Amino acid sequence: MIIFFCFYLFILLLLCFLQLLGQALRQAAKDILQQSNNLIINYGYTDALPLIQQALGDPQHTATDLAYLYAQQSTLFLAIDSLQLGKTAADRSIQESQTSSSMEAKAVAYRASAQHNNHLNLPDIVVKDALKGIQYLGDSQADLALALHAASDG
């Protein structure tokens, strides 16, 4: 009976740890986003794109990381007028954010979608996406400067 209880406790702790892991943007992803923003500032959007594309191939990224990275990729594609690729990346960001428990990741994903629709001059959809993103933020106490800037125009 004690072995069963210990095993149950171990599984419970493991599940709690995995839940926490899925909620936060990992430091590795934060570093990539910061490097991307630095490349944008110093060299331009096209120099940051390979960094993000390489990062998206890393299997260690969580759904939260991927939501942020795809949102950043969407921004980069839109900046170089690749609207279809920007849309695809924004859609992937939303898809990844739905499997994440991070409300900030969901907000960043909808911000990317709003940015894409802004490029298409669809103000009603921009407002709808922006409001949905704001609803996900709620009373979040997270580092929103990083959350919102990470997927911004640079």
Side-chain angles (χ1 to χ4, degrees), residues 13 24 37 57 85 87-88 93 102-103 125 145:
L13 290 173
N37 287 332
L85 293 174
K87 168 81 170 127
T88 301
S93 180
S102 168
M103 294 298 138
I125 300 174

Side-chain angles (χ1 to χ4, degrees), residues 50-64:
L51 174 69
I52 296 298
Q53 289 173 322
Q54 179 183 5
L56 287 168
D58 184 352
Q60 294 184 9
H61 287 304
T62 64
T64 300

Side-chain angles (χ1 to χ4, degrees), residues 77-125:
F77 280 135
L78 293 174
I80 60 172
D81 294 326
S82 294
L83 297 180
Q84 184 59 42
L85 293 174
K87 168 81 170 127
T88 301
D91 290 346
R92 287 290 307 270
S93 180
I94 289 174
Q95 180 183 4
E96 292 294 340
S97 75
Q98 297 308 315
T99 61
S100 169
S101 57
S102 168
M103 294 298 138
E104 293 81 14
K106 291 172 176 50
V108 167
Y110 278 97
R111 186 228 164 268
S113 180
Q115 182 183 18
H116 175 264
N117 289 314
N118 187 47
H119 271 74
L120 297 176
N121 199 23
L122 300 170
D124 292 341
I125 300 174

